[in-house]
Amino acid sequence: MTEPQQSIGLRVSRYRPETDDAPGWQEYDVPLRDEWTVLDALNHVKNEVDPTLSFRWSCRMGICGSCGMNVDGEPRLTCGTFLVDHLPGPVRVEPLANFHVARDLVIDMTDFMEKLPRVKPWIIRDEEMSVDDGEYLQTPEELDAYKQFSMCINCMLCYAACPVYGLDPDFIGPAAIALAERYDLDSRDHGARERLDVLIEHEGVWGCTFVGECTKVCPKHVDPAGAIQRYKLKAAKESVKAVLLPRGAR
């Protein structure tokens, strides 16, 4: 009778910019437990084997989005990726693709953080109500209109999966566009035109070739690919209006 597998290998990408010219691989052997995720295994390595290993994590509950990495070539949240689903191993763990690597499994998110404000992901009002006027109330139906797109946790899995972003770093990217759509659909917001002016450009929605991998890897089912196609429709309508209608009637 074959003995059950007691451990599993991790093949981890290592990169220390102060000493390394390029990333390399390091092998670790970790206990195989049914309830252990890849993040649990990395924490075991960090705490018990090699304290020099660097990676990000926070909540361990699929909420913060900080533990995203490539696991066996797929962008995943490591806190929700179980070792037993990658038997017999070794499990290959790398930083998310399409980003500069700061150290080991840690990516530099500066590019995204600079692009995100361009779509103004906050509520824009033509005129603010005073506190005395009360709250901005919404019906359940108005909430449902944008709820799906509000679930984005900025985990960057969609950017790692996006071949367009990998080839054209000027592309503003799926998460930013999905968050723009979230606020466009909010009944309290009046900023749709300002966001469209940004996203109608080539580095906005038109850069997307609709591969759809961003939606496939999203752990929160946000559907950024759907948001991009909706924006393309808005942009096309605006282009037709610009041709057919006089300026004052647009």
Side-chain angles (χ1 to χ4, degrees):
M1 184 176 179
T2 304
E3 289 291 325
Q5 188 169 330
Q6 300 296 318
S7 63
I8 191 168
L10 289 185
R11 191 165 190 252
V12 180
S13 178
R14 301 297 308 271
Y15 175 62
R16 286 146 289 190
E18 67 275 13
T19 59
D20 300 338
D21 294 329
W25 296 99
Q26 190 160 353
E27 305 275 349
Y28 301 99
D29 201 47
V30 300
L32 178 62
R33 299 173 183 170
D34 289 345
E35 73 278 10
W36 268 27
T37 65
V38 172
L39 180 59
D40 290 320
L42 290 171
N43 275 321
H44 172 81
V45 171
K46 178 81 171 178
N47 296 331
E48 305 293 338
V49 182
D50 184 354
T52 69
L53 180 62
S54 297
F55 55 94
R56 285 195 184 107
W57 69 279
S58 182
C59 74
R60 299 177 65 182
M61 298 176 65
I63 296 173
C64 73
S66 61
C67 71
M69 302 171 206
N70 272 23
V71 180
D72 283 344
E74 293 290 328
R76 304 290 297 271
L77 292 182
T78 54
C79 67
T81 304
F82 289 87
L83 293 174
V84 292
D85 293 330
H86 292 265
L87 288 171
V91 185
R92 192 172 78 254
V93 187
E94 303 167 84
L96 290 175
N98 301 333
F99 290 93
H100 172 74
V101 179
R103 184 180 180 91
D104 293 342
L105 302 170
V106 179
I107 60 167
D108 184 349
M109 294 176 59
T110 302
D111 183 63
F112 172 72
M113 298 306 294
E114 291 176 347
K115 287 176 176 175
L116 185 59
R118 290 171 54 193
V119 303
K120 301 184 178 181
W122 53 79
I123 291 175
I124 298 171
R125 297 285 300 176
D126 291 337
E127 185 177 339
E128 291 285 354
M129 293 194 307
S130 70
V131 175
D132 293 336
D133 290 330
E135 305 166 89
Y136 294 112
L137 299 178
Q138 287 185 313
T139 66
E141 291 75 21
E142 287 171 330
L143 172 63
D144 287 342
Y146 67 83
K147 184 177 181 180
Q148 177 185 16
F149 298 113
S150 74
M151 300 303 291
C152 177
I153 57 175
N154 297 332
C155 63
M156 299 294 99
L157 268 61
C158 58
Y159 282 73
C162 177
V164 176
Y165 183 67
L167 293 171
D168 181 8
D170 290 333
F171 178 47
I172 201 163
I177 298 172
L179 286 167
E181 182 70 353
R182 174 257 179 270
Y183 285 94
D184 277 5
L185 294 173
D186 194 315
S187 62
R188 302 164 294 181
D189 182 78
H190 300 145
R193 179 71 244 188
E194 296 180 45
R195 299 185 189 98
L196 186 59
D197 287 343
V198 173
L199 295 178
I200 202 171
E201 302 298 329
H202 172 73
E203 64 270 17
V205 295
W206 297 117
C208 174
T209 56
F210 197 48
V211 176
E213 286 297 308
C214 54
T215 290
K216 179 180 176 182
V217 303
C218 179
K220 295 298 182 181
H221 311 292
V222 172
D223 191 15
I228 293 170
Q229 298 314 300
R230 293 167 69 128
Y231 252 107
K232 285 183 177 180
L233 180 59
K234 295 178 195 178
K237 286 180 177 178
E238 287 299 316
S239 297
V240 171
K241 286 167 63 177
V243 172
L244 298 180
L245 298 178
R247 183 174 297 273
R250 295 176 197 169

